[in-house]
Amino acid sequence: AVMRAGDAHRARAATAMNVQSSRSHAIFMLGVRRRDLRTQQVRAATLHVVDLAGSENVRRSGATGNTLAEAKNINRSLLAL
């Protein structure tokens, strides 16, 4: 339910290269804890699932207006990583 709610709020836009181009990054963190009942030792781990917005060639994507501005910002943010 949490994943569906997050997915419903993701921004998407159609371009010439992709019918449902993701316009936003998504990060999902799943924490797991385990306790050994004999020793009471606790182990913990976190799984990070990251879906980055797609980088597209602005010229080939045919993006204009807001979609073009988003594409430029997405490409800039991916370069920062």
Side-chain angles (χ1 to χ4, degrees), residues 2-72:
V2 173
M3 293 289 282
R4 277 192 290 278
D7 187 54
H9 287 89
R10 293 203 62 195
R12 292 180 182 82
T15 69
M17 294 179 69
N18 190 344
V19 176
Q20 282 199 352
S21 180
S22 173
R23 314 313 290 167
S24 58
H25 304 313
I27 301 172
F28 182 74
M29 297 176 3
L30 176 66
V32 179
R33 291 177 48 146
R34 176 186 176 272
R35 179 185 306 270
D36 186 310
L37 296 177
R38 282 184 289 127
T39 65
Q40 298 302 308
Q41 180 182 14
V42 176
R43 291 186 177 213
T46 304
L47 174 67
H48 299 265
V49 179
V50 179
D51 180 17
L52 299 175
S55 173
E56 296 178 351
N57 182 297
V58 173
R59 195 174 313 123
R60 286 189 292 179
S61 72
T64 59
N66 285 342
T67 304
L68 175 60
E70 286 174 344
K72 289 178 181 179

